[in-house]
Amino acid sequence: MENWSLISLCVLLGLTSRWAVSFHSYSGAGKSPMFGDYEAQRHWQELTYNLPVHEWYFNTTDNDLNYWGLDYPPLTAYHSLVCAYVAKLFNPDWVELHTSRGYESHSHKLFMRATVLFADVLIYIPAVLLFCFYFCDGSPKQKVATAFCILMYPGLMLIDYGHFQYNGVSLGLALWGVLGLGFGCDLFGSVAFVLALNYKQMELYHALPFFCYLMGKCVKHGLNGRGFFHLVKISLTVLVTFAICWMPFLSDPKQPLQVLHRLFPVGRGLFEDKVANTWCSLNVLIKIKTLLSRETQLFLSFALTVLFVLPSSLKLLSKPTLWQFKLALVNSSLAFFLFSFQVHEKSILLAALPVCLFINEMPLIVVWFLLTSTFSMLPLLLKDGLLLPYVVTSLAFLFLSLYLLSALERSTDEELRLAPYRKLTQHFLPKLNLSRIVKWKFWLSLVAMAALSFTSVWLEPPAKLPDLFPVLVSIFSFLHFLGFVIYFNLVQLMEPQRRKNQKKTN
């Protein structure tokens, strides 16, 4: 009974914080002609409800692809259709073809926020709770504290409930995939991840670790016997799940090709806005978009992404444990975010999810990463009028996570996973206190984030440098993410896992 009471409290607090964020502004409110992501989600409901399936991804008289055309996989379109049927019951004007464009009202805002909350309750929150209560060490109260801190992650709340998207659906499905593999239910895990991939194509960030884990497991069992049959079952499960998701588009070869064209718009360029990745940061010094052809940009981004993903993937392939799998998810998603083609600011959420899975093992590092990832989206959040929710949720997450998880107290060399760094410095600086340096860097980083947040809001940039503050935020965050990807790769490649977690992680 005590466990259920703690779980109920955790869910209640998580829902309350999400609903509180939803009462603020959203992307593009009152800003015609495109409005924003809120209008994109509403418009997709309008399209999927009023148009036949074969017109959803094509430019027609009733479907102007230049006005928030569908650019996500079929499962997102089906979700929009379900929401549209519910919206029609409340007010047909919300999804009326053409005339509902740019529709804004208090009741519709509540409805749209409720759809995000319902999706979280159905998919994301149960997955977080199950992970924390089964795979995290500690007492029931400690597990609740861990789950609560994950649910309080400000980046996801601000984007889904403020900017307005349904990232909790794809991330929740991916987490169910992790849970499936963790419980040894590989077929269930495969289905869950395929559904995540068919909801948002950015789940490709996590695809290679899923493949390497399952392939490594099959190889370990022997491809001449049980491992081969297991591989066949997984392959058939993946193919059937894909076929079911894409079934309405398979009658005409033009349909899946057009969907793929919409999912991977190479014409949009190497990056958009001020994203905290390599290309945007490097573009400050070298105008990559101007100097290099699009084909060269594609090749370069592909080559560097593979180069940074390969070491952790090969390690996972040779040692398919849950511990290695979680680290590979972090390293793969960070490599994709830093080096791949057409990255958005919001894509850092794909790295934040697997990082959250380590909040019980290395709380200080995880809290630092999650606050940095939220800060990296500051220009987008300010554009959406989300300054107050950004400040409140970030401060609440910082103080609650430091208090509930004892992050500052749990910061020895062992708990910070600094063994690889100790090996590098023991001959030259044997008495160097690495854990103290990390804590100092943590606080200095937070002070710098606060200062940049303040200057971005209250100071006017020089007339010749109108994008000065967004660029500084981008470069500052990029340097952090570069440090994090090196750190997590070293942890995976050089450090053995702790024995007390051996049973659960294998």
Side-chain angles (χ1 to χ4, degrees), residues 93-370:
D93 292 341
W94 294 349
V95 290
E96 195 67 33
L97 189 62
H98 302 312
T99 59
S100 62
R101 182 172 290 194
Y103 190 97
E104 293 177 338
S105 71
H106 181 67
S107 57
H108 185 253
K109 180 181 175 181
L110 288 176
F111 167 76
M112 293 291 278
R113 300 302 192 217
T115 61
V116 182
L117 191 65
F118 180 78
D120 273 0
V121 171
L122 191 66
I123 299 173
Y124 182 71
I125 294 177
V128 170
L129 293 176
L130 188 58
F131 176 83
C132 292
F133 275 83
Y134 189 84
F135 291 103
C136 293
D137 294 324
S139 66
K141 289 183 179 179
Q142 289 173 315
K143 294 179 179 182
V144 166
T146 303
F148 178 62
C149 289
I150 294 176
L151 294 176
M152 281 291 292
Y153 167 48
L156 182 58
M157 283 198 297
L158 291 167
I159 293 300
D160 275 15
Y161 291 85
H163 180 73
F164 199 85
Q165 286 191 340
Y166 295 94
N167 292 290
V169 176
S170 57
L171 295 178
L173 289 170
L175 184 51
W176 277 109
V178 173
L179 288 169
L181 302 193
F183 284 121
C185 304
D186 293 342
L187 299 185
F188 173 82
S190 301
V191 170
F193 180 70
V194 170
L195 292 177
L197 187 56
N198 278 283
Y199 192 88
K200 285 203 172 185
Q201 65 270 35
M202 285 79 76
E203 279 298 329
L204 283 170
Y205 284 32
H206 300 146
L208 198 55
F210 271 89
F211 171 80
C212 289
Y213 176 84
L214 291 169
M215 178 59 75
K217 192 173 179 180
C218 293
V219 171
K220 192 175 180 180
H221 289 157
L223 288 180
N224 294 325
R226 189 157 60 98
F228 175 76
F229 290 108
H230 193 55
L231 180 61
V232 170
K233 287 191 293 183
I234 293 170
S235 303
L236 289 175
T237 300
V238 169
L239 290 173
V240 169
T241 308
F242 262 107
I244 292 172
C245 290
W246 286 71
M247 191 174 293
F249 304 94
L250 298 179
S251 58
D252 182 357
K254 293 180 181 179
Q255 288 285 330
L257 290 176
Q258 175 64 10
V259 176
L260 290 173
H261 175 71
R262 293 293 300 164
L263 299 188
F264 302 102
V266 177
R268 290 185 183 177
L270 190 57
F271 61 88
E272 289 187 17
D273 295 326
K274 301 298 182 288
V275 60
N277 76 344
T278 303
W279 309 121
C280 184
S281 302
L282 193 60
N283 199 65
V284 176
L285 301 175
I286 306 171
K287 301 304 177 185
I288 302 172
K289 284 188 172 182
T290 307
L291 294 175
L292 301 179
S293 66
R294 185 164 296 160
E295 290 73 19
T296 305
Q297 294 173 29
L298 271 169
F299 174 78
L300 195 59
S301 63
F302 175 78
L304 282 175
T305 303
V306 171
L307 183 66
F308 272 78
V309 167
L310 207 55
S312 66
S313 299
L314 292 176
K315 181 67 181 287
L316 176 61
L317 193 62
S318 64
K319 192 177 181 182
T321 65
L322 185 60
W323 173 257
Q324 287 286 327
F325 175 53
K326 292 192 299 179
L327 284 167
L329 285 171
V330 175
N331 291 322
S332 174
S333 52
L334 273 174
F336 269 87
F337 178 80
L338 288 171
F339 302 105
S340 66
F341 198 87
Q342 245 300 303
V343 175
H344 294 262
E345 309 100 309
K346 304 179 287 290
S347 300
I348 194 60
L349 298 177
L350 290 152
L353 174 71
V355 170
C356 282
L357 306 185
F358 292 96
I359 199 167
N360 193 53
E361 287 93 348
M362 45 183 91
L364 186 64
I365 298 296
V366 171
V367 170
W368 192 358
F369 179 93
L370 296 180

Side-chain angles (χ1 to χ4, degrees), residues 20 47 63 67 272 287 356 384 413 415 506:
L47 290 180
N63 184 15
Y67 184 80
E272 289 187 17
K287 301 304 177 185
C356 282
D384 294 339
D413 282 10
E415 288 167 316
N506 285 332

Side-chain angles (χ1 to χ4, degrees), residues 62-92:
D62 290 323
N63 184 15
D64 181 7
L65 292 182
N66 292 321
Y67 184 80
W68 298 120
L70 260 171
D71 52 7
Y72 283 118
L75 213 58
T76 289
Y78 304 149
H79 181 206
S80 297
L81 180 61
V82 172
C83 291
Y85 273 102
V86 179
K88 185 81 171 179
L89 297 175
F90 286 97
N91 188 340

